[in-house]
Amino acid sequence: MKAAFITETGTADVIQYGDLPEPTPGAGQVLIAVQAVAVNPIDTYVRAGVVAFELPQPYIIGCDAAGVVEAVGEGVSEFDRGDSVWCTNQGLLGRQGTFAEKIVVDQQWCFPRSPAVSADDAAASALVGVTAHLGLFREAANFFSATKSAVTSSPTILVIGGSGGVGSMVVQMAKIAGATVIATAGSDEKCELVKLLGADHVINYREQSIPDTVARIVPGGVDLFWETRREPDFDLAIGMLRPRGKMILMAGRDARPAFPVGPFYVKECSLSGFVMFKASAEEMRIAARDIDSWLASGQLKSNIGKTLPLAEAARAHRLQESNTLFGGGDLIGKIVLRTS
């Protein structure tokens, strides 16, 4: 089978594309014929060795995939041959990745895909969708009802980077749950996309002051501040939170910004940081059910910016890094790669 893999960490140049042995499902595993995969920033960090995990040799890159079950191992009860599925949280914590024509996944990390949901859409919404779901409905559960279909007190959320992979999912899921959504973006084109995703207010941060605009929209401050940047600005965030508001962090592994302790505790704010790959299988399964249902109904839309063949995995990593690390790209949305 064809796969995109590495035998050492480094730049995108270390990615090889070639033949590897087809895997065989063991007990409790499913063999998936992959149709589409998606690129995430974490993929580039693992490949570069910035985030150090023990990697199989050779290591197939990638976390997300969607396809069809081709075979099941002993003891698999949830899936049958021919089922449409998707997965995430692969290629991490010693698990093999997804950028291959065939992959083996433990059934606990495999999720059903409705007939109405394409492989492209499922792959593009996988890691970013689960991340958004965990942040909103687990970390900020005090603002959202347990049913995910209504809010307890019509909260207002500010999403920094509403056109990005995670940000675009947060915007849509918060709207599904009934919140008022304010989001930022860095160009007119990106602002228009965020409006189409359902944001009530969009701020072009290159032309408008975020705190001044937020103060006009909601003078008392926002309930929830979702930070997607690698360098958070706590003064900015806490200044825009209402009393007992909350800030969500899911990026910035190497960031060490100053923290305004006084304003934070006097306003009785709270702060949650999390990484999706530490979520339990059951927490991911709960998120997956909602994501698949919302994609099938059209309430949630994938945010795909570019589609490439799997053979161009190295190019895809360069594009991702150009936008994530260097700010030099014009990519809007996820990079999806197809096996055929």
Side-chain angles (χ1 to χ4, degrees), residues 160-173:
I160 302 298
S163 66
V166 174
S168 63
M169 292 285 114
V170 176
V171 167
Q172 294 180 82
M173 290 185 191

Side-chain angles (χ1 to χ4, degrees), residues 150-168:
V151 291
T152 56
S153 58
S154 299
T156 299
I157 178 173
L158 172 60
V159 184
I160 302 298
S163 66
V166 174
S168 63

Side-chain angles (χ1 to χ4, degrees), residues 74-114:
E74 182 182 354
V76 172
S77 58
E78 298 181 27
F79 300 98
D80 291 311
R81 180 181 172 88
D83 287 349
S84 294
V85 294
W86 62 279
C87 65
T88 187
N89 205 27
Q90 302 305 298
L92 304 168
L93 302 175
R95 290 187 288 273
Q96 190 59 279
T98 58
F99 278 40
E101 292 178 318
K102 305 284 180 68
I103 60 173
V104 163
V105 176
D106 291 346
Q107 67 172 337
Q108 65 178 342
W109 305 118
C110 189
F111 312 117
R113 175 164 57 94
S114 299

Side-chain angles (χ1 to χ4, degrees), residues 12 23 72 105 125 199 252 276 282 288 337:
V72 299
V105 176
S125 304
M276 66 81 65
E282 179 56 28
L337 297 93

Side-chain angles (χ1 to χ4, degrees), residues 45-310:
Y45 305 155
V46 174
R47 183 221 72 228
V50 175
V51 176
F53 289 119
E54 184 175 341
L55 303 180
Q57 287 294 329
Y59 169 67
I60 299 171
I61 61 177
C63 295
D64 298 338
V68 176
V69 175
E70 189 166 285
V72 299
E74 182 182 354
V76 172
S77 58
E78 298 181 27
F79 300 98
D80 291 311
R81 180 181 172 88
D83 287 349
S84 294
V85 294
W86 62 279
C87 65
T88 187
N89 205 27
Q90 302 305 298
L92 304 168
L93 302 175
R95 290 187 288 273
Q96 190 59 279
T98 58
F99 278 40
E101 292 178 318
K102 305 284 180 68
I103 60 173
V104 163
V105 176
D106 291 346
Q107 67 172 337
Q108 65 178 342
W109 305 118
C110 189
F111 312 117
R113 175 164 57 94
S114 299
V117 179
S118 72
D120 285 10
D121 288 339
S125 304
L127 183 146
V128 292
V130 171
T131 300
H133 196 284
L134 290 170
L136 289 172
F137 303 117
R138 188 189 71 180
E139 300 302 314
N142 55 314
F143 295 114
F144 294 87
S145 74
T147 64
K148 321 288 190 298
S149 61
V151 291
T152 56
S153 58
S154 299
T156 299
I157 178 173
L158 172 60
V159 184
I160 302 298
S163 66
V166 174
S168 63
M169 292 285 114
V170 176
V171 167
Q172 294 180 82
M173 290 185 191
K175 286 305 299 177
I176 289 170
T180 297
V181 177
I182 307 168
T184 72
S187 69
D188 290 341
E189 184 182 5
K190 291 180 179 180
C191 286
E192 188 58 34
L193 169 65
V194 177
K195 289 178 185 176
L196 292 174
L197 294 176
D200 299 283
H201 309 276
V202 184
I203 302 169
N204 185 333
Y205 64 81
R206 297 188 188 279
E207 299 178 358
Q208 300 168 278
S209 162
I210 297 175
D212 290 350
T213 307
V214 169
R216 288 195 296 271
I217 297 169
V218 53
V222 298
D223 296 282
L224 194 62
F225 183 107
W226 188 295
E227 179 64 272
T228 63
R229 295 171 298 188
R230 297 172 67 243
E231 287 288 337
D233 186 332
F234 288 116
D235 277 304
L236 183 77
I238 294 165
M240 289 187 284
L241 283 173
R242 70 158 175 82
R244 297 194 177 182
K246 185 164 202 164
M247 183 178 183
I248 300 289
L249 284 177
M250 36 66 65
R253 176 179 295 268
D254 297 320
R256 297 292 186 273
F259 190 86
V261 174
F264 180 77
Y265 82 79
V266 169
K267 291 177 76 171
E268 299 183 298
C269 293
S270 59
L271 174 67
S272 283
F274 75 101
V275 288
M276 66 81 65
F277 62 81
K278 290 187 177 180
S280 70
E282 179 56 28
E283 287 172 325
M284 288 203 181
R285 189 174 294 111
I286 291 169
R289 282 198 294 263
D290 282 341
I291 291 166
D292 182 70
S293 174
W294 291 335
L295 285 171
S297 68
Q299 291 176 281
L300 183 68
K301 299 183 186 305
S302 65
N303 182 18
I304 300 174
K306 197 168 195 63
T307 304
L308 297 169
L310 183 62

